Amino acid sequence: MAQLLSPEQQDLKQSCKGSVYQPGDEGYDNSKWAPNSTKLSKIIVTPEDAEDIAKAIKFARSQGLPVAVRGGGHSTSTASATDGLLIDMRRMTKIRIDEEAKIGYSQSGALMWQVEAETIKYGLAACAGVCSQVSIGGYTLGGGIGHSIGTYGLACDNLVSATIVLANGDIVQASESENPDLLWGLKGGGSNFGVVVELGVKLHPQRPDAYAVSYVYLPTQLEALVTAINEWRTVQKLHETIFFLLSLGPDGKPYIILNGVSNSALEEGEALFRRFLDLGPVNITNAQIPWPEVCNLANAVNAIPRGKVSVGAHIDNFDAPQVQESWNMWFKITEKAPFSFVMYEFYPHKRVAEIPIESAAFAQRQPFITVLCAVLGIDESGDFAPRAWDELLNLKEIVSGSSSKAAQESLGYANYGDPFSTRNETDEYSRNLFGPNYARLQEVKRKYDPDMVFNRWFAIRPAV
């Protein structure tokens, strides 16, 4: 049953073009991909425009309510959840293309598949992610790695403008000519400065299709496959990516899966990945697919039920003994969480590294291999659930255990940093994440959000 609205809540509801919900209302929806990462929000505002967002922020502050923003809702942390006021961006998905300038303007709730489907109509593409259900807002503001990273770099490095609602309700623009310090902070600084309504991102020429493979191997082929990947890395082209997964198959048995994408014609793609076919996978899938379908290749993960926790790791040593240790730990976890996996992501790093670290808030420009550790399918009523995060962090430690001290101390890719992103009692993790850029970010925070209204994701402390 819906609760009675206070006069202030009634005013908010009547003044917003979008919807305002409280628990018990028809349409109230605080769900996320990971059900364990939700909170029962006192108010959910689903805005239609920037003015709605400004009203929601002002209302929350007047009532002493914490604020969170949900884009695609595709995370395992509570950074996009709150027991206060939740701004739900899932209706704000409009996309417009400036074909001549090659810039795409996307509202921040637009999902990857929507962005890809629209931009390809013009023979263009944004630097989009590998998961169709992630919103362009959170993805870009946290860094943005994906299949285009080798040719065009991080999504945040391709951000040219933003419309953002600040903590005082002001609606401002960020670009090189207007509030450039804010634009700098948004390039990797996440949700620390306000609610981004729309992003302007560079678009790049994109062929209509790409070559994709998915090869499945037996555990006994692990050493040969690791050797082949390390050989391939020495000749990896800028338009090639490979994901190496430890995962259970539909039959419940453990396998190694190699997923690859070559942004090229069929013949080139076949030649580039032939070495992996020659190893004799037990299951073979390869095809030339439309470019917008590339981000849908991981859609099976989006349908995994029950509880989920995940974390990133960075490594600079990839060899069979290290992977075998990770395998052993991962396989034990699957007894309690059967959809769990470890995914090593091999991106060409040249474009990321050549950007000076001080040119954007994003500071993770070391030539590390990105790894995603995911513990999925957790029975939230079972005895494993309370210790799932601990098991996950143990897995992360093993995955990076034979790498350098710098890799081991890394929190992993920012958008994979779920266990750390909301531990904001101090700014220890924010300092780790932003490294030499943290002091400058503190200055930007003091200017645009001195009261730390936006404090859910790797919260930055304002400069004193």
Side-chain angles (χ1 to χ4, degrees):
M1 180 182 295
Q3 304 169 15
L4 292 175
L5 295 177
S6 70
E8 294 82 7
Q9 290 171 331
Q10 191 67 43
D11 289 344
L12 176 66
K13 190 166 187 175
Q14 291 176 348
S15 65
C16 283
K17 295 178 184 176
S19 302
V20 178
Y21 303 103
Q22 58 180 349
D25 285 348
E26 183 179 355
Y28 178 95
D29 180 9
N30 67 334
S31 64
K32 291 177 58 186
W33 175 63
N36 51 295
S37 68
T38 62
K39 291 189 175 185
L40 186 65
S41 301
K42 184 174 182 179
I43 300 284
I44 297 179
V45 177
T46 306
E48 296 282 355
D49 56 22
E51 287 74 19
D52 281 357
I53 297 171
K55 292 170 185 175
I57 293 171
K58 290 177 180 178
F59 170 83
R61 298 197 68 180
S62 73
Q63 301 299 305
L65 296 175
V67 175
V69 183
R70 179 178 60 188
H74 202 282
S75 74
T76 64
S77 85
T78 57
S80 55
T82 178
D83 54 10
L85 186 143
L86 178 66
I87 298 173
D88 176 12
M89 300 296 289
R90 287 190 279 191
R91 281 189 200 164
M92 300 197 68
T93 60
K94 294 178 183 176
I95 302 167
R96 54 192 175 92
I97 307 298
D98 184 334
E99 188 174 6
E100 183 176 350
K102 291 187 172 59
I103 296 176
Y105 297 93
S106 300
Q107 291 184 329
S108 61
L111 302 181
M112 286 295 106
W113 74 266
Q114 294 170 315
V115 174
E116 296 281 47
E118 185 63 24
T119 55
I120 199 63
K121 295 175 183 176
Y122 302 86
L124 301 169
C127 295
V130 300
C131 176
S132 66
Q133 299 303 305
V134 170
S135 73
I136 191 171
Y139 165 78
T140 303
L141 300 179
I145 57 178
H147 295 296
S148 300
I149 195 172
T151 44
Y152 302 121
L154 295 163
C156 70
D157 290 333
N158 285 268
L159 180 67
V160 296
S161 67
T163 302
I164 181 170
V165 185
L166 301 178
N168 62 3
D170 286 353
I171 303 168
V172 303
Q173 302 298 314
S175 67
E176 290 297 338
S177 60
E178 198 170 357
N179 301 310
D181 55 343
L182 181 56
L183 179 67
W184 178 87
L186 294 174
K187 291 183 174 184
S191 57
N192 266 290
F193 308 107
V195 181
V196 173
V197 181
E198 182 182 73
L199 306 93
V201 300
K202 295 177 187 176
L203 301 179
H204 304 279
Q206 173 57 49
R207 56 178 294 114
D209 52 15
Y211 184 72
V213 307
S214 184
Y215 298 150
V216 181
Y217 302 86
L218 297 173
T220 53
Q221 296 173 285
L222 186 149
E223 184 172 357
L225 189 52
V226 169
T227 299
I229 289 175
N230 281 327
E231 291 173 350
W232 165 82
R233 289 171 60 200
T234 65
V235 295
Q236 180 182 11
K237 299 188 182 302
L238 295 179
H239 58 271
E240 293 178 289
T241 54
I242 275 180
F243 293 168
F244 169 92
L245 292 92
L246 315 180
S247 176
L248 298 185
D251 59 1
K253 296 178 180 179
Y255 294 97
I256 306 163
I257 301 171
L258 184 141
N259 294 330
V261 171
S262 173
N263 195 354
S264 67
L266 173 69
E267 294 77 13
E268 181 181 355
E270 287 181 331
L272 291 171
F273 294 139
R274 183 166 294 124
R275 72 178 73 225
F276 303 112
L277 193 59
D278 291 344
L279 292 177
V282 296
N283 188 273
I284 297 170
T285 303
N286 48 30
Q288 196 75 5
I289 63 174
W291 177 254
E293 290 301 314
V294 171
C295 72
N296 290 322
L297 291 172
N299 275 357
V301 176
N302 298 325
I304 291 175
R306 299 187 293 189
K308 307 170 183 73
V309 296
S310 61
V311 69
H314 279 139
I315 63 172
D316 49 19
N317 178 55
F318 179 72
D319 59 24
Q322 179 271 325
V323 177
Q324 186 63 58
E325 284 193 39
S326 300
W327 172 284
N328 296 341
M329 177 67 178
W330 157 78
F331 189 56
K332 290 179 182 177
I333 290 175
T334 62
E335 296 175 5
K336 297 292 186 179
F339 297 101
S340 301
F341 62 82
V342 177
M343 180 167 68
Y344 298 77
E345 305 179 13
F346 295 93
Y347 299 105
H349 199 72
K350 181 174 181 292
R351 293 287 183 263
V352 178
E354 68 187 12
I355 302 292
I357 195 167
E358 69 275 7
S359 67
F362 188 86
Q364 297 181 313
R365 299 189 183 273
Q366 307 94 323
F368 292 144
I369 298 166
T370 293
V371 185
L372 174 61
C373 306
V375 177
L376 310 180
I378 302 165
D379 179 358
E380 294 176 74
S381 64
D383 59 358
F384 179 73
R387 66 176 197 275
W389 282 112
D390 290 336
E391 293 291 331
L392 177 73
L393 294 177
N394 289 339
L395 177 60
K396 169 184 165 63
E397 185 175 338
I398 289 173
V399 164
S400 61
S402 64
S403 290
S404 66
K405 185 172 184 287
Q408 291 183 48
E409 291 178 350
S410 169
L411 303 180
Y413 166 52
N415 278 338
Y416 290 168
D418 289 356
F420 312 108
S421 64
T422 56
R423 295 184 181 181
N424 294 316
E425 295 80 8
T426 71
D427 59 357
E428 172 192 356
Y429 295 116
S430 300
R431 288 180 179 275
N432 180 311
L433 182 70
F434 297 116
N437 291 333
Y438 187 70
R440 184 175 172 187
L441 282 164
Q442 288 185 287
E443 296 292 341
V444 179
K445 185 74 169 178
R446 178 171 63 178
K447 181 176 178 180
Y448 294 102
D449 183 23
D451 297 324
M452 291 189 69
V453 172
F454 304 105
N455 58 14
R456 302 296 302 152
W457 185 86
F458 289 108
I460 295 165
R461 296 289 194 276
V464 177

